[in-house]
Every structure is written in C-alpha cells, then in structure tokens.
Amino acid sequence: MSIQTLNDILLAICESGRDRVMLQREVLGWIPISSSELYRNVVGVSRALESWGIRKGDRVAILSENRPEWTTSDFAALALGAVTVPIYSTQTAEQTAFILNDSGARVVAVSTSSQLEKVLTIQSHTLVERILVMDQVETAHAVHMQRLMLQGPTSRDPEFDARSRTVTPSDLATIIYTSGTTGTAKGAMLTHGNM
C-alpha cells in the first residue's frame, strides 16, 4: 500500500495485525492497544460522527492532552474526510470559543470533566452541536467516547475502508492554531499531503 494520506497510515497500521500499536497508561502500568482494537475504536467513533451528520470538510475539534482517545478521535474524523482542529488543553474558555467559532467546529472531543465544563460554559456561543468526552464522567451533556469505541466492529468494515480511501492528499486534514500568546490565534490549514 502506498502511503499518501493520514487515512492510509491508519489502514496500514490496522492491517498489520500487531498486538501492540499504542500504549495506554493505567493505574497498574502500561496497557497495550492492538491494531484490531484501534480499528474497532476508530470505526465506532467514526460511525457516531457520521450519524450526527459529519461529512467531508466538516470540522471536528479535539480539546485534550495526549492520550490514545486523541488519536482515535483524529482518525475517526479524518476517515470521513472531516477536518480536525486540535486545541491546546491549556487554552482559556474564551480562546477555545474563538477557535471553535473561527474553524466552524460542529463537534468537539474533550478529555476530562474540567475540559467538558470549559466547553459547556461557551457552547451556546459556538456552532458546537455535540460533545464527546473521553473520561468516564457523570454528564447528560456529552456522549461517552468509550461506549462508542466498544460499539465498533470486531472485523473489517469494507464501507469504512472504502470511504477512508476516497480522501486524497490534496484534501484538508487539519487546522492547527497558534497558541495565541502574542495575539489572536491564527489557523494553519494543512492537507493530508502536507502531513
């Protein structure tokens, strides 16, 4: 397989059949995530995004520290041809609202209860329709990502694979914003080919 897009990277990893493609830190140490688990997780989240009307070119923000669910969110959106918008977890509510509005994000994936609260305080001033939460927090205002990941398939999904392959190197993949410490944050638009 020729690697030309970020989706090609995902499919190559998932076709590898490896027992350990990622590690997740738990209380008792590092737990491996296999290629089949990664695939299940990504497809589960991607199906939810699609059911919410996320299509090629739509923006999906990720407000999280580094963790496996960040990568899962990213690949799930990219597989639909959507554009991911990573947001620094240290951004203030006002800075986060600016990025959500400037990018036009309709969905945001957040890591923790504090990130969820940040988004809930500004949601009415943004275009955000849905929130995914990575941690298991008590809330009626977001969808738990873990549940969606576990609903993914245990075998390959030909429709998911085919749709992922329709994305081209010239398609927009991400909008990465500057930190905004010296002024208003600016978004750099990067294609799959750029990445």
Side-chain angles (χ1 to χ4, degrees):
M1 167 189 275
S2 172
I3 303 292
Q4 297 183 5
T5 67
L6 297 170
N7 292 348
D8 291 339
I9 293 171
L10 171 68
L11 295 175
I13 290 168
C14 293
E15 289 168 2
S16 71
R18 294 185 181 193
D19 292 333
R20 186 173 82 173
V21 295
M22 297 172 77
L23 292 173
Q24 181 163 353
R25 183 151 192 158
E26 298 290 341
V27 176
L28 299 175
W30 293 95
I31 306 296
I33 297 172
S34 70
S35 59
S36 62
E37 289 169 320
L38 175 62
Y39 184 83
R40 176 201 65 202
N41 296 346
V42 169
V43 176
V45 173
S46 189
R47 285 177 178 173
L49 293 173
E50 184 178 31
S51 75
W52 299 339
I54 298 300
R55 302 290 183 262
K56 188 172 187 173
D58 288 338
R59 279 35 171 185
V60 176
I62 305 171
L63 176 59
S64 173
E65 304 75 18
N66 290 335
R67 58 191 288 170
E69 294 91 349
W70 195 105
T71 304
T72 298
S73 302
D74 192 37
F75 277 135
L78 293 171
L80 296 171
V83 178
T84 56
V85 181
I87 301 175
Y88 292 104
S89 60
T90 55
Q91 296 280 29
T92 66
E94 294 75 24
Q95 291 168 322
T96 300
F98 172 81
I99 292 170
L100 291 171
N101 282 324
D102 190 63
S103 67
R106 294 179 46 214
V107 173
V108 60
V110 300
S111 55
T112 63
S113 60
S114 63
Q115 298 296 0
L116 174 60
E117 289 304 317
K118 183 192 304 183
V119 170
L120 289 174
T121 64
I122 60 171
Q123 184 178 6
S124 64
H125 305 293
T126 70
L127 300 174
V128 171
E129 302 162 9
R130 302 268 185 157
I131 303 170
L132 287 167
V133 62
M134 299 172 191
D135 280 354
Q136 293 296 320
V137 300
E138 291 292 326
T139 183
H141 305 291
V143 176
H144 289 101
M145 198 169 152
Q146 189 69 29
R147 180 178 57 83
L148 299 177
M149 293 188 318
L150 294 175
Q151 291 175 354
T154 56
S155 60
R156 295 306 288 255
D157 178 343
E159 185 178 314
F160 173 87
D161 291 358
R163 183 177 43 251
S164 296
R165 289 188 177 102
T166 65
V167 173
T168 68
S170 62
D171 287 334
L172 187 60
T174 188
I175 304 172
I176 299 176
Y177 281 80
T178 60
S179 64
T181 53
T182 59
T184 304
K186 308 282 188 294
M189 301 173 76
L190 301 173
T191 65
H192 282 259
N194 292 143
M195 300 295 281

